[in-house]
Amino acid sequence: MSDSAPRSIHDLGPAALRQELLADGVAGAHAKPFWRALYREPEAADLAAAGFPGPLRRWVESNVGPGKRFYPDAPEVADESVSSDGLTRKFLLRLRDGEMIETVLMRYDGRLTACVSTQAGCAMGCVFCATGQMGFRRHLRPGEIIAQVLLARRVFRRVFPNQRLRNLVLMGMGEPLHNYDAVMAALDTVSDTAGIGIGPSKISISTVGVVPGILRLATEPKPYRLAVSLHGATQSERHALVPVAGKWTLSELMDACRHYGASTGRRIFFEWTLVAGRNDSAETAERLVELLRGIDAHVNLIPLNPTHGFAGAASRAGFAFQQVLRAAGIPATLRQRRGIDVAAGCGQLRQRAVGG
Ligand code: SAH
Ligand code: SF4
């Protein structure tokens, strides 16, 4: 018997689960079916009653559940808000230790997408980002990331029963590449066909530009999508918005992107939040064209969602910026504002009910 603190069953991949079963004298062959049952859709209401063979059922009964060795990761929904068009839903979730995170569900271009958090807070401090301004609280565990996807799948199933969740973006709270191992462990489960089954190429990892993480991502076997939040076409323009550019400079970042593109053969998505008077001019767009030369790039222009002290670019400026990129042959989309009325837009995810 071990008296260590309870652990999340969702933190365990099939291999770790197998080790736990073997240590308790249960055949390792039970691990994969049990793991599969954890992620099947619809979810099993009661794992112990899921029709497992005797030894596995007994193991689940005595080891999984409240007060037992393993608990299922199921954050409490502290708040849910729906945009007036019904296409965006934001969940404020309370984790076991009281930390709050947010998960956003979107139906965009007819597709269902979940936007999940990878940290409570964020250490990167981008000046226009509400999460950055609250500072770093802690990393999420794999199970806490996976649980957000399970929640999204469950809610989508109720709201859009004829569609499946097929897209995932790591664009909620936090910097995914600052929590690399937990994020990759979570994505292994999310993308496994015996897990949640969202295709790796439908999973976008968005980074503020953590250079070592980008280089490591280039070596991952699964073809996740890389999105790089750029926001500036010169070191000083970028540094004024993204403090971490002091650590990984724009030229180091672009070198890492070039390496990633060359070694994976994949396109890179560049996120560009348009901030009035800071990075929304046609001259900046011209500089961005030069910066991206030789990279297979797609640019997502994001109108700034209001946070204190910063104004969004005029839609005319955004349109003109997009035209410059397109004229140079760089695909560029100008993202629509989504869910502003529930403060679920990018960068507005922030802890609200601190301390309950
Ligand atoms: N930390 C990662 C992922 C989470 S932020 C990253 O920075 O990429 C996801 C996206 O939201 C980033 O592109 C970020 O620049 C953008 N964002 C942050 N605050 C915003 C705001 N107020 N308006 C619009 N986009 C914002
Ligand atoms: Fe962190 Fe991304 Fe916000 Fe920057 S934009 S503070 S990296 S969550």
Side-chain angles (χ1 to χ4, degrees), residues 297-321:
H298 180 116
V299 178
N300 281 323
L301 301 168
I302 312 168
L304 182 85
N305 289 321
T307 53
H308 63 278
F310 290 91
S315 49
R316 221 173 338 105
F319 187 69
F321 200 102

PDB file of all heavy atoms in Angstrom, residues 297-321:
ATOM      1  N   ALA A 297       4.799  30.307 -45.171  1.00  0.00           N
ATOM      2  CA  ALA A 297       4.116  30.967 -44.062  1.00  0.00           C
ATOM      3  C   ALA A 297       2.673  31.303 -44.397  1.00  0.00           C
ATOM      4  O   ALA A 297       2.332  31.580 -45.554  1.00  0.00           O
ATOM      5  CB  ALA A 297       4.845  32.260 -43.701  1.00  0.00           C
ATOM      6  N   HIS A 298       1.857  31.274 -43.396  1.00  0.00           N
ATOM      7  CA  HIS A 298       0.498  31.804 -43.482  1.00  0.00           C
ATOM      8  C   HIS A 298       0.365  32.774 -42.320  1.00  0.00           C
ATOM      9  O   HIS A 298       0.758  32.447 -41.198  1.00  0.00           O
ATOM     10  CB  HIS A 298      -0.527  30.662 -43.361  1.00  0.00           C
ATOM     11  CG  HIS A 298      -1.948  31.133 -43.446  1.00  0.00           C
ATOM     12  ND1 HIS A 298      -2.791  30.750 -44.472  1.00  0.00           N
ATOM     13  CD2 HIS A 298      -2.671  31.961 -42.658  1.00  0.00           C
ATOM     14  CE1 HIS A 298      -3.971  31.326 -44.308  1.00  0.00           C
ATOM     15  NE2 HIS A 298      -3.923  32.063 -43.203  1.00  0.00           N
ATOM     16  N   VAL A 299      -0.149  33.958 -42.566  1.00  0.00           N
ATOM     17  CA  VAL A 299      -0.261  34.956 -41.503  1.00  0.00           C
ATOM     18  C   VAL A 299      -1.726  35.112 -41.087  1.00  0.00           C
ATOM     19  O   VAL A 299      -2.596  35.357 -41.921  1.00  0.00           O
ATOM     20  CB  VAL A 299       0.323  36.318 -41.948  1.00  0.00           C
ATOM     21  CG1 VAL A 299       0.149  37.356 -40.843  1.00  0.00           C
ATOM     22  CG2 VAL A 299       1.800  36.178 -42.320  1.00  0.00           C
ATOM     23  N   ASN A 300      -1.961  34.944 -39.793  1.00  0.00           N
ATOM     24  CA  ASN A 300      -3.290  35.222 -39.230  1.00  0.00           C
ATOM     25  C   ASN A 300      -3.257  36.576 -38.555  1.00  0.00           C
ATOM     26  O   ASN A 300      -2.564  36.746 -37.545  1.00  0.00           O
ATOM     27  CB  ASN A 300      -3.660  34.181 -38.161  1.00  0.00           C
ATOM     28  CG  ASN A 300      -4.125  32.882 -38.775  1.00  0.00           C
ATOM     29  OD1 ASN A 300      -4.800  32.883 -39.805  1.00  0.00           O
ATOM     30  ND2 ASN A 300      -3.774  31.777 -38.144  1.00  0.00           N
ATOM     31  N   LEU A 301      -3.992  37.506 -39.110  1.00  0.00           N
ATOM     32  CA  LEU A 301      -4.067  38.832 -38.500  1.00  0.00           C
ATOM     33  C   LEU A 301      -5.238  38.820 -37.524  1.00  0.00           C
ATOM     34  O   LEU A 301      -6.360  38.448 -37.885  1.00  0.00           O
ATOM     35  CB  LEU A 301      -4.277  39.890 -39.585  1.00  0.00           C
ATOM     36  CG  LEU A 301      -3.160  39.924 -40.635  1.00  0.00           C
ATOM     37  CD1 LEU A 301      -3.563  40.782 -41.830  1.00  0.00           C
ATOM     38  CD2 LEU A 301      -1.868  40.464 -40.008  1.00  0.00           C
ATOM     39  N   ILE A 302      -4.945  39.201 -36.291  1.00  0.00           N
ATOM     40  CA  ILE A 302      -5.967  39.151 -35.236  1.00  0.00           C
ATOM     41  C   ILE A 302      -6.228  40.569 -34.742  1.00  0.00           C
ATOM     42  O   ILE A 302      -5.310  41.213 -34.222  1.00  0.00           O
ATOM     43  CB  ILE A 302      -5.475  38.308 -34.032  1.00  0.00           C
ATOM     44  CG1 ILE A 302      -4.882  36.973 -34.504  1.00  0.00           C
ATOM     45  CG2 ILE A 302      -6.593  38.092 -33.032  1.00  0.00           C
ATOM     46  CD1 ILE A 302      -4.120  36.233 -33.417  1.00  0.00           C
ATOM     47  N   PRO A 303      -7.445  41.073 -34.929  1.00  0.00           N
ATOM     48  CA  PRO A 303      -7.727  42.388 -34.358  1.00  0.00           C
ATOM     49  C   PRO A 303      -7.581  42.316 -32.840  1.00  0.00           C
ATOM     50  O   PRO A 303      -8.021  41.340 -32.237  1.00  0.00           O
ATOM     51  CB  PRO A 303      -9.188  42.658 -34.740  1.00  0.00           C
ATOM     52  CG  PRO A 303      -9.561  41.609 -35.733  1.00  0.00           C
ATOM     53  CD  PRO A 303      -8.630  40.447 -35.538  1.00  0.00           C
ATOM     54  N   LEU A 304      -6.913  43.292 -32.247  1.00  0.00           N
ATOM     55  CA  LEU A 304      -6.718  43.275 -30.794  1.00  0.00           C
ATOM     56  C   LEU A 304      -8.067  43.254 -30.100  1.00  0.00           C
ATOM     57  O   LEU A 304      -8.944  44.057 -30.401  1.00  0.00           O
ATOM     58  CB  LEU A 304      -5.951  44.525 -30.354  1.00  0.00           C
ATOM     59  CG  LEU A 304      -5.657  44.588 -28.846  1.00  0.00           C
ATOM     60  CD1 LEU A 304      -4.391  43.831 -28.516  1.00  0.00           C
ATOM     61  CD2 LEU A 304      -5.567  46.010 -28.359  1.00  0.00           C
ATOM     62  N   ASN A 305      -8.238  42.344 -29.166  1.00  0.00           N
ATOM     63  CA  ASN A 305      -9.407  42.378 -28.309  1.00  0.00           C
ATOM     64  C   ASN A 305      -9.111  43.338 -27.181  1.00  0.00           C
ATOM     65  O   ASN A 305      -8.011  43.323 -26.634  1.00  0.00           O
ATOM     66  CB  ASN A 305      -9.700  40.981 -27.752  1.00  0.00           C
ATOM     67  CG  ASN A 305     -10.213  40.050 -28.834  1.00  0.00           C
ATOM     68  OD1 ASN A 305     -10.978  40.453 -29.696  1.00  0.00           O
ATOM     69  ND2 ASN A 305      -9.758  38.822 -28.805  1.00  0.00           N
ATOM     70  N   PRO A 306     -10.086  44.162 -26.856  1.00  0.00           N
ATOM     71  CA  PRO A 306      -9.811  45.214 -25.877  1.00  0.00           C
ATOM     72  C   PRO A 306      -9.270  44.679 -24.554  1.00  0.00           C
ATOM     73  O   PRO A 306      -9.842  43.776 -23.963  1.00  0.00           O
ATOM     74  CB  PRO A 306     -11.185  45.879 -25.668  1.00  0.00           C
ATOM     75  CG  PRO A 306     -12.150  45.213 -26.571  1.00  0.00           C
ATOM     76  CD  PRO A 306     -11.461  44.131 -27.324  1.00  0.00           C
ATOM     77  N   THR A 307      -8.132  45.189 -24.148  1.00  0.00           N
ATOM     78  CA  THR A 307      -7.650  45.003 -22.774  1.00  0.00           C
ATOM     79  C   THR A 307      -7.228  46.400 -22.365  1.00  0.00           C
ATOM     80  O   THR A 307      -7.073  47.273 -23.215  1.00  0.00           O
ATOM     81  CB  THR A 307      -6.426  44.053 -22.686  1.00  0.00           C
ATOM     82  OG1 THR A 307      -5.427  44.528 -23.580  1.00  0.00           O
ATOM     83  CG2 THR A 307      -6.774  42.623 -23.020  1.00  0.00           C
ATOM     84  N   HIS A 308      -7.012  46.627 -21.074  1.00  0.00           N
ATOM     85  CA  HIS A 308      -6.755  47.987 -20.614  1.00  0.00           C
ATOM     86  C   HIS A 308      -5.541  48.599 -21.315  1.00  0.00           C
ATOM     87  O   HIS A 308      -4.501  47.961 -21.457  1.00  0.00           O
ATOM     88  CB  HIS A 308      -6.562  48.006 -19.097  1.00  0.00           C
ATOM     89  CG  HIS A 308      -5.372  47.219 -18.673  1.00  0.00           C
ATOM     90  ND1 HIS A 308      -5.397  45.869 -18.526  1.00  0.00           N
ATOM     91  CD2 HIS A 308      -4.099  47.605 -18.406  1.00  0.00           C
ATOM     92  CE1 HIS A 308      -4.205  45.440 -18.175  1.00  0.00           C
ATOM     93  NE2 HIS A 308      -3.385  46.470 -18.098  1.00  0.00           N
ATOM     94  N   GLY A 309      -5.720  49.838 -21.750  1.00  0.00           N
ATOM     95  CA  GLY A 309      -4.570  50.598 -22.242  1.00  0.00           C
ATOM     96  C   GLY A 309      -4.172  50.381 -23.688  1.00  0.00           C
ATOM     97  O   GLY A 309      -3.307  51.073 -24.195  1.00  0.00           O
ATOM     98  N   PHE A 310      -4.769  49.413 -24.378  1.00  0.00           N
ATOM     99  CA  PHE A 310      -4.395  49.197 -25.776  1.00  0.00           C
ATOM    100  C   PHE A 310      -5.611  49.231 -26.668  1.00  0.00           C
ATOM    101  O   PHE A 310      -6.664  48.711 -26.311  1.00  0.00           O
ATOM    102  CB  PHE A 310      -3.663  47.859 -25.939  1.00  0.00           C
ATOM    103  CG  PHE A 310      -2.309  47.884 -25.332  1.00  0.00           C
ATOM    104  CD1 PHE A 310      -2.123  47.497 -24.024  1.00  0.00           C
ATOM    105  CD2 PHE A 310      -1.227  48.358 -26.057  1.00  0.00           C
ATOM    106  CE1 PHE A 310      -0.870  47.555 -23.441  1.00  0.00           C
ATOM    107  CE2 PHE A 310       0.025  48.416 -25.481  1.00  0.00           C
ATOM    108  CZ  PHE A 310       0.208  48.017 -24.172  1.00  0.00           C
ATOM    109  N   ALA A 311      -5.432  49.858 -27.839  1.00  0.00           N
ATOM    110  CA  ALA A 311      -6.552  49.982 -28.771  1.00  0.00           C
ATOM    111  C   ALA A 311      -6.300  49.085 -29.974  1.00  0.00           C
ATOM    112  O   ALA A 311      -5.158  48.908 -30.413  1.00  0.00           O
ATOM    113  CB  ALA A 311      -6.682  51.436 -29.230  1.00  0.00           C
ATOM    114  N   GLY A 312      -7.373  48.527 -30.466  1.00  0.00           N
ATOM    115  CA  GLY A 312      -7.264  47.686 -31.654  1.00  0.00           C
ATOM    116  C   GLY A 312      -7.031  48.550 -32.886  1.00  0.00           C
ATOM    117  O   GLY A 312      -7.379  49.733 -32.919  1.00  0.00           O
ATOM    118  N   ALA A 313      -6.404  47.972 -33.892  1.00  0.00           N
ATOM    119  CA  ALA A 313      -6.209  48.682 -35.146  1.00  0.00           C
ATOM    120  C   ALA A 313      -7.562  48.905 -35.812  1.00  0.00           C
ATOM    121  O   ALA A 313      -8.483  48.109 -35.634  1.00  0.00           O
ATOM    122  CB  ALA A 313      -5.312  47.858 -36.055  1.00  0.00           C
ATOM    123  N   ALA A 314      -7.663  49.977 -36.580  1.00  0.00           N
ATOM    124  CA  ALA A 314      -8.882  50.213 -37.354  1.00  0.00           C
ATOM    125  C   ALA A 314      -9.021  49.091 -38.373  1.00  0.00           C
ATOM    126  O   ALA A 314      -8.014  48.570 -38.864  1.00  0.00           O
ATOM    127  CB  ALA A 314      -8.789  51.560 -38.059  1.00  0.00           C
ATOM    128  N   SER A 315     -10.256  48.707 -38.684  1.00  0.00           N
ATOM    129  CA  SER A 315     -10.414  47.579 -39.602  1.00  0.00           C
ATOM    130  C   SER A 315      -9.835  47.921 -40.980  1.00  0.00           C
ATOM    131  O   SER A 315      -9.344  47.048 -41.687  1.00  0.00           O
ATOM    132  CB  SER A 315     -11.870  47.140 -39.696  1.00  0.00           C
ATOM    133  OG  SER A 315     -12.688  48.247 -39.922  1.00  0.00           O
ATOM    134  N   ARG A 316      -9.828  49.216 -41.323  1.00  0.00           N
ATOM    135  CA  ARG A 316      -9.214  49.629 -42.588  1.00  0.00           C
ATOM    136  C   ARG A 316      -7.724  49.305 -42.609  1.00  0.00           C
ATOM    137  O   ARG A 316      -7.172  48.816 -43.583  1.00  0.00           O
ATOM    138  CB  ARG A 316      -9.416  51.136 -42.790  1.00  0.00           C
ATOM    139  CG  ARG A 316      -9.766  51.527 -44.211  1.00  0.00           C
ATOM    140  CD  ARG A 316     -10.127  53.007 -44.369  1.00  0.00           C
ATOM    141  NE  ARG A 316     -10.565  53.679 -43.156  1.00  0.00           N
ATOM    142  CZ  ARG A 316      -9.816  54.536 -42.456  1.00  0.00           C
ATOM    143  NH1 ARG A 316      -8.588  54.813 -42.821  1.00  0.00           N
ATOM    144  NH2 ARG A 316     -10.314  55.131 -41.376  1.00  0.00           N
ATOM    145  N   ALA A 317      -7.068  49.567 -41.473  1.00  0.00           N
ATOM    146  CA  ALA A 317      -5.626  49.286 -41.379  1.00  0.00           C
ATOM    147  C   ALA A 317      -5.375  47.786 -41.502  1.00  0.00           C
ATOM    148  O   ALA A 317      -4.430  47.352 -42.175  1.00  0.00           O
ATOM    149  CB  ALA A 317      -5.079  49.811 -40.053  1.00  0.00           C
ATOM    150  N   GLY A 318      -6.216  46.994 -40.859  1.00  0.00           N
ATOM    151  CA  GLY A 318      -6.067  45.536 -40.931  1.00  0.00           C
ATOM    152  C   GLY A 318      -6.213  45.044 -42.354  1.00  0.00           C
ATOM    153  O   GLY A 318      -5.435  44.198 -42.823  1.00  0.00           O
ATOM    154  N   PHE A 319      -7.167  45.592 -43.032  1.00  0.00           N
ATOM    155  CA  PHE A 319      -7.420  45.189 -44.409  1.00  0.00           C
ATOM    156  C   PHE A 319      -6.231  45.565 -45.301  1.00  0.00           C
ATOM    157  O   PHE A 319      -5.759  44.767 -46.124  1.00  0.00           O
ATOM    158  CB  PHE A 319      -8.715  45.840 -44.901  1.00  0.00           C
ATOM    159  CG  PHE A 319      -9.142  45.366 -46.250  1.00  0.00           C
ATOM    160  CD1 PHE A 319      -9.593  44.054 -46.428  1.00  0.00           C
ATOM    161  CD2 PHE A 319      -9.087  46.215 -47.350  1.00  0.00           C
ATOM    162  CE1 PHE A 319      -9.973  43.609 -47.686  1.00  0.00           C
ATOM    163  CE2 PHE A 319      -9.461  45.765 -48.607  1.00  0.00           C
ATOM    164  CZ  PHE A 319      -9.906  44.462 -48.776  1.00  0.00           C
ATOM    165  N   ALA A 320      -5.727  46.782 -45.119  1.00  0.00           N
ATOM    166  CA  ALA A 320      -4.584  47.243 -45.920  1.00  0.00           C
ATOM    167  C   ALA A 320      -3.345  46.383 -45.641  1.00  0.00           C
ATOM    168  O   ALA A 320      -2.598  46.018 -46.563  1.00  0.00           O
ATOM    169  CB  ALA A 320      -4.285  48.714 -45.606  1.00  0.00           C
ATOM    170  N   PHE A 321      -3.142  46.036 -44.386  1.00  0.00           N
ATOM    171  CA  PHE A 321      -2.023  45.181 -43.969  1.00  0.00           C
ATOM    172  C   PHE A 321      -2.125  43.838 -44.700  1.00  0.00           C
ATOM    173  O   PHE A 321      -1.153  43.338 -45.286  1.00  0.00           O
ATOM    174  CB  PHE A 321      -2.092  44.974 -42.444  1.00  0.00           C
ATOM    175  CG  PHE A 321      -0.808  44.530 -41.802  1.00  0.00           C
ATOM    176  CD1 PHE A 321      -0.002  45.432 -41.097  1.00  0.00           C
ATOM    177  CD2 PHE A 321      -0.406  43.197 -41.869  1.00  0.00           C
ATOM    178  CE1 PHE A 321       1.174  45.016 -40.493  1.00  0.00           C
ATOM    179  CE2 PHE A 321       0.763  42.776 -41.259  1.00  0.00           C
ATOM    180  CZ  PHE A 321       1.553  43.686 -40.572  1.00  0.00           C
TER     181      PHE A 321
END
